[in-house]
Amino acid sequence: MGQLTQDGVARRIIAAIKDQIHSGAHPPGSRLPATRALAAEWGVSRTTVTAAYSQLIAEGYLTSRPGARAVVAHGLDGAPAPVDPPPAARRLSEFGQRLLALPPPVPAASARLADFRYGDLSGADFPVLAWRRAVNRVSLRRVARLRYDDPRGSAALRVALQGYLWRARGIRCSSDQIVIVNGSQQGLDLCARLLLDPGDPFLFENPGYALARHAFTAVGGVEIPIPVDEDGLRVDALSSAAAATAALAPATLAYVTPSHQFPLGGVLSAGRRRALLDWAARSGAVIVEDDYDGEYRHGVAPIPPLRALAPDCVVYVGTLSKTLSPTLRLGYLVVPPSLERAFAEAKRLTDRHAPLLEQEALADLLTSGAYERHVRAIRRKNAERRAALLAAVAETLGDAAVVAGTDAGLHILLWLPGVPVAREAAILAEARAVGIGLYPVSPLYAPGGDRPACVGLVMGYAALEDDALRRGIAALADLLTTRGDP
């Protein structure tokens, strides 16, 4: 390398190190890489790096002593960072623009007393030993070749899930109809991209699961909100929805949570189930059934999913996020035979397939019976948490609260009839200030539509122990009393 080229590389190294110092990547007092290591990283001689360090020492950016690595000098905190020119405007697709127009997610609270965030599980409930044994067993299986697998997922897991779904949910299907996804959210995204074109109307529970709504609207779907009550989706409102979409194409998709409506907690009655399936058969639409917490029934018989009644027009969405951990990102779809290839190819194009080690470990848990033993244990534990929460609400809030959606799942809906929704933001902020994480139901309603007149709170309890549940409700009661709310 000629001298001119060496000098040019040294200048680039100097500029890169200055940028890292100004950005905070190398704070004052931190050690820089040894000259030999940085030379190998840049593919240059050690002499070039030594020259760059010497220049930085001379400019006061670094200090050094014999036999030690160079250190970022103190007193550079206020050094001005290089000013980059404003980035050039980049054109986003319509899909990208729709994503940016979505409302921001509700941030998790930093709650020292109790965080009632729905969807969180207790870390103590995870079956660490059983999972570790399963991971160890599958890790020791030697394969001749490491390669991409079936986009639908591990054959062993799909066969194991086939048996589990029949035992637990009464669903008959072939393993070819099961697609393993990275959490149910990816399953919803695949449904949106395969079943909706821009401008297509879709029927959606109102209120309903926000991330499902976002998945469908992000691809250009037009939401037709359908009201819900204590018996789930108001199927009688489908006729008015048809009238509302007269200027559009017929709805091609309906999203429902029939076993435990999110967030209100109703169970879709038998008559409404049949009416919804009849509508889908007449209109040629697909029903996306999100069975997000079907493992949890409290004192009532399990409700058969729609997929068990009409396998040809229902895409069933299942998840392990409510039984094992949302951090595993494991879910599954059961699709009609006519859609098998489309979903497999969409999954292949998205990310080839879900990680195989976790899939094989889950298959091991299912076939050994350890998974169902775990589900029975955490079902009992969460039933105890639910009982503690309901007792605390009854004892502490009394008639000031109305509770709904308690027969299933891992959350309740707490209405505060005497607290107008105009006070919602202030109450949430004050709750966070005293260490309670509260999450309102109002953002789950369709944009621009009617919303409840009083404050409603979606209260998850699966991550909290009994003492925390009682402390959280007591603190909420104190907050309401201090504010003068009933």
Side-chain angles (χ1 to χ4, degrees):
M1 182 183 294
Q3 183 63 39
L4 184 61
T5 305
Q6 286 185 353
D7 290 346
V9 174
R11 285 195 297 271
R12 287 167 52 203
I13 294 173
I14 290 168
I17 293 174
K18 286 181 178 180
D19 285 345
Q20 291 173 337
I21 292 173
H22 289 308
S23 69
H26 285 308
S30 63
R31 295 191 300 172
L32 264 63
T35 54
R36 191 185 307 277
L38 194 61
E41 184 179 331
W42 279 74
V44 297
S45 70
R46 190 178 177 189
T47 303
T48 301
V49 175
T50 301
Y53 278 14
S54 297
Q55 181 62 34
L56 288 166
I57 292 169
E59 294 182 24
Y61 280 88
L62 305 180
T63 61
S64 70
R65 56 187 177 82
R69 285 157 54 183
V71 174
V72 177
H74 289 276
L76 295 174
D77 305 73
V83 178
D84 293 326
R90 296 286 184 262
R91 179 190 173 277
L92 275 176
S93 68
E94 290 184 1
F95 174 76
Q97 294 175 45
R98 287 192 291 266
L99 285 180
L100 294 182
L102 294 174
V106 177
S110 178
R112 65 182 184 277
L113 289 180
D115 187 357
F116 290 96
R117 187 182 186 205
Y118 170 75
D120 293 358
L121 304 182
S122 171
D125 289 350
F126 185 77
V128 175
L129 294 179
W131 182 257
R132 184 173 67 185
R133 285 194 291 266
V135 169
N136 287 343
R137 280 194 291 267
V138 301
S139 297
L140 292 174
R141 297 172 190 163
R142 294 290 183 178
V143 294
R145 179 175 296 186
L146 299 174
R147 61 186 177 188
Y148 296 117
D149 203 34
D150 190 322
R152 295 169 299 181
S154 155
L157 176 55
R158 289 186 286 117
V159 168
L161 277 173
Q162 177 189 19
Y164 171 75
L165 288 171
W166 167 236
R167 294 191 303 274
R169 302 298 284 132
I171 292 177
R172 291 182 179 272
C173 65
S174 74
S175 61
D176 290 340
Q177 292 172 257
I178 298 175
V179 180
I180 309 301
V181 289
N182 287 309
S184 60
Q185 188 61 36
Q186 186 183 57
L188 295 173
D189 178 65
L190 292 177
C191 289
R193 290 191 284 126
L194 288 172
L195 303 175
L196 290 174
D197 284 322
D200 281 351
F202 65 93
L203 306 185
F204 197 84
E205 298 171 328
N206 188 35
Y209 180 46
L211 285 180
R213 174 185 287 121
H214 296 170
F216 301 139
T217 57
V219 299
V222 178
E223 180 184 0
I224 307 300
I226 306 296
V228 298
D229 58 21
E230 63 274 7
D231 289 325
L233 187 80
R234 289 269 310 279
V235 181
D236 61 302
L238 294 179
S239 56
S240 59
T245 60
L248 303 171
T252 57
L253 181 151
Y255 171 85
V256 290
T257 52
S259 296
H260 185 223
Q261 199 280 325
F262 185 83
L264 300 189
V267 176
L268 193 63
S269 64
R272 291 187 182 186
R273 286 168 181 258
R274 178 49 58 194
L276 178 61
L277 293 173
D278 289 345
W279 167 84
R282 289 194 310 270
S283 62
V286 174
I287 297 172
V288 176
E289 177 181 18
D290 191 348
D291 196 17
Y292 64 99
D293 60 5
E295 286 82 3
Y296 298 98
R297 307 291 300 171
H298 306 300
V300 294
I303 304 299
L306 296 174
R307 176 59 179 70
L309 303 175
D312 291 334
C313 66
V314 176
V315 174
Y316 179 86
V317 183
T319 180
L320 283 304
S321 293
K322 305 300 183 293
T323 53
L324 286 175
S325 170
T327 64
L328 283 178
R329 308 312 304 135
L330 279 175
Y332 53 90
L333 303 175
V334 183
V335 303
S338 60
L339 296 177
E340 285 178 22
R341 183 168 179 270
F343 273 88
E345 292 308 313
K347 176 62 176 169
R348 188 197 311 275
L349 190 61
T350 300
D351 60 1
R352 292 279 192 168
H353 53 71
L356 285 173
L357 177 64
E358 289 83 354
Q359 292 187 64
E360 296 288 342
L362 177 57
D364 185 280
L365 286 184
L366 284 163
T367 54
S368 69
Y371 176 76
E372 285 166 89
R373 288 193 296 273
H374 166 70
V375 169
R376 289 192 293 270
I378 60 168
R379 186 185 290 136
R380 289 192 298 270
K381 179 62 177 174
N382 282 313
E384 293 169 2
R385 292 184 175 114
R386 166 186 168 273
L389 176 58
L390 293 177
V393 170
E395 294 167 7
T396 309
L397 293 173
D399 294 339
V402 175
V403 177
T406 63
D407 288 341
L410 298 174
H411 77 276
I412 66 169
L413 189 60
L414 185 73
W415 293 107
L416 301 173
V419 185
V421 74
R423 298 187 188 179
E424 179 181 275
I427 288 175
L428 297 181
E430 291 176 19
R432 290 188 180 222
V434 299
I436 319 170
L438 299 178
Y439 303 89
V441 71
S442 57
L444 303 179
Y445 283 81
D450 293 335
R451 299 198 175 196
C454 67
V455 170
L457 302 171
V458 182
M459 306 194 74
Y461 52 79
L464 297 171
E465 299 307 321
D466 293 1
D467 286 347
L469 290 166
R470 285 190 287 267
R471 287 196 305 269
I473 295 300
L476 173 60
D478 289 344
L479 184 153
L480 296 175
T481 302
T482 301
R483 290 184 54 85
D485 292 313

